[in-house]
Amino acid sequence: MTRAKGVRCTSKLETVIPFVLALLLAVPALAQVPADSLGPFLPPEPFAVTAVPADMLPLLTLAEVTALVLDQNPTVVIARLEREIADNDASLGNADFLPTVSLTATQRRLASFGGATQIDRSSDYSLDLAAGARVTVFEGLARVARYRRLQSLAEARAFDAEATAEAVLADAYVTYFDIARQQDQLLVLREAVALSEERLQIATRRRDVGAASDLEVRRALVDLNADRAVLLRQQNALAQSKALLNQLIDRTDAAFRVTDSVAVDTTLALGMLEADALDAPDLRAARASEEAAELDRTAVRREFWPRVDLTAGYVFDQVTDPIGLTPGQAGGFTYGLTATFDLFDGFQRRRRLGNAALRQRQQALVVDQTRTALLTALESTFAVYERSLLLVALEEANADAARQNVTVALERFRLGVSTSLELREVQRALIDAQSRLVAAVFEAKQAEVELLALSGRLLPE
């Protein structure tokens, strides 16, 4: 029995020794195998991602995006025009502070009436000239309330324009950093493609020296094509994000790149952000609208007072008659005071006063709602911001460990002590870790931008 076991052990050694010798001879020969010997399993070269290398594209900076959004975005421009219209309406003339001056000229022909004898009166005419001015000297101070209301509306439109610009700018910033995220993701996927290509080359060389089968080569090729397909899909997503950013900055040039360094501000404090949010454009616009509603109610209430107008003018009349029957001219200055008091207007003032009170109450509720929404959004976004910072630190450690694992696994696969499936598993772990890190950095930056927008600190000074 002992001898039989020895024979079986010797036969196993005789089987393993040629494989070990072939593997040892294959290792130094791997580097000497030309790339063109990979045969039909090697995918076509080159695999061009873009016609122009990414690092050769012009850099679009965040400052340029800010300037383009504020100058060219249609939504921002429309809000700015609405603010200018409100500024034009907030004038003394629109509040009836300025006098009204009118000039009237009337020329009439004198008609001749039937009779036995018709007299030619074709040159008879009457000329009336009148110039007048009217100014209100008292109306219960309703004009003061109306003028202050127009100023409050102009102030509200200015804050609305600022809030609109900040919201659009926040969308542009998030899209900008999303493009940066996708650029980083492209680098991750290109690294994955490069690693899959190296794996395919090693598998092909091992097959050529008899240390691997065609199955392993085809498996490496399938994984390589899968990585390249993911890379192409990422290119499409990047192109769509660039198109979205171009829409926000109102241009069509897609040949650009953004910064490849996304730095997250880790010094934001919730207390400071809440203090700034209470003075944010959205809340200030709501407060200005509430003040305008209150002044509107005051103006309607003061319409119950009598109105006193001062009038002054000059009147000139001239009449000509060819037969001298009624020729002549007259004219002179006129002036006086006019007092007007509406005794009954169909309860229109009472209706408008009731509506003004309802609008004032409505705007007060809008102010409370805006304040609550701002503070709630600020607290929830800050919680996301804090967790994102912790997640970035965690994913950085995971990505470093996964990269070291790939280095070890690739060397083991090159020496033939691990399978391609083990290498592929480690490679996927690296891709996932790097992708999670890129996503975590973007989420932290997105939360930072949202916090600055909610607190009114996003617009440049």
Side-chain angles (χ1 to χ4, degrees), residues 34-321:
D36 55 2
S37 65
L38 297 180
F41 301 108
L42 189 64
E45 294 292 343
F47 182 67
V49 176
T50 56
V52 180
D55 55 355
M56 298 299 293
L57 294 174
L59 176 64
L60 180 63
T61 64
L62 200 60
E64 293 174 341
V65 170
T66 303
L68 290 173
V69 167
L70 298 181
D71 294 339
Q72 300 181 179
N73 182 268
T75 303
V76 175
V77 175
I78 290 173
R80 187 162 57 242
L81 294 177
E82 291 290 339
R83 182 199 64 191
E84 294 178 3
I85 293 174
D87 289 339
N88 292 335
D89 288 339
S91 63
L92 293 174
N94 196 24
D96 292 335
F97 271 100
L98 302 181
T100 58
V101 180
S102 61
L103 176 63
T104 304
T106 305
Q107 182 177 5
R108 296 170 295 177
R109 288 193 178 275
L110 301 178
S112 59
F113 297 94
T117 303
Q118 296 293 330
I119 301 176
D120 183 10
R121 301 175 62 97
S122 60
S123 61
D124 297 355
Y125 67 90
S126 173
L127 177 63
D128 300 330
L129 295 176
R134 180 185 62 83
V135 59
T136 301
V137 295
F138 179 77
E139 32 52 270
L141 300 179
R143 290 176 299 173
V144 176
R146 284 196 295 268
Y147 182 62
R148 290 176 56 192
R149 173 180 175 273
L150 292 174
Q151 289 181 319
S152 297
L153 289 177
E155 187 177 8
R157 296 295 82 75
F159 290 136
D160 283 338
E162 186 176 347
T164 300
E166 200 149 28
V168 176
L169 197 60
D171 291 340
Y173 280 7
V174 171
T175 306
Y176 183 89
F177 291 119
D178 185 47
I179 294 175
R181 175 190 68 83
Q182 295 187 30
Q183 287 182 170
D184 291 340
Q185 186 65 21
L186 278 178
L187 295 179
V188 172
L189 296 178
R190 288 194 183 101
E191 184 178 356
V193 169
L195 183 60
S196 295
E197 289 176 346
E198 185 175 2
R199 171 192 166 196
L200 176 60
Q201 291 179 356
I202 295 175
T204 305
R205 291 167 182 168
R206 292 180 60 190
R207 180 207 61 188
D208 293 341
V209 298
S213 64
D214 288 341
L215 177 61
E216 186 173 348
V217 175
R218 285 192 294 269
R219 183 179 295 160
L221 178 59
V222 170
D223 292 338
L224 173 59
N225 289 336
D227 292 339
R228 287 181 167 178
V230 175
L231 181 60
L232 287 174
R233 292 190 183 95
Q234 183 61 45
Q235 281 184 283
N236 293 334
L238 178 60
Q240 293 176 358
S241 297
K242 286 186 175 182
L244 179 58
L245 181 60
N246 279 334
Q247 182 179 358
L248 292 173
I249 62 179
D250 195 27
R251 74 171 195 175
T252 58
D253 185 12
F256 67 90
R257 60 184 175 91
V258 301
T259 180
D260 55 356
S261 176
V262 179
V264 181
D265 186 3
T266 60
T267 62
L268 297 181
L270 181 59
M272 185 179 300
L273 293 173
E274 288 179 341
D276 292 339
L278 295 178
D279 199 36
D282 285 333
L283 190 54
R284 297 180 69 181
R287 290 169 179 164
S289 297
E290 180 187 13
E291 183 180 2
E294 180 180 358
L295 291 170
D296 185 33
R297 182 183 181 185
T298 301
V300 176
R301 186 186 299 115
R302 290 177 179 177
E303 289 181 4
F304 286 91
W305 288 78
R307 177 186 180 116
V308 180
D309 295 331
L310 174 64
T311 60
Y314 179 81
V315 178
F316 174 78
D317 296 328
Q318 180 178 4
V319 180
T320 62
D321 189 342

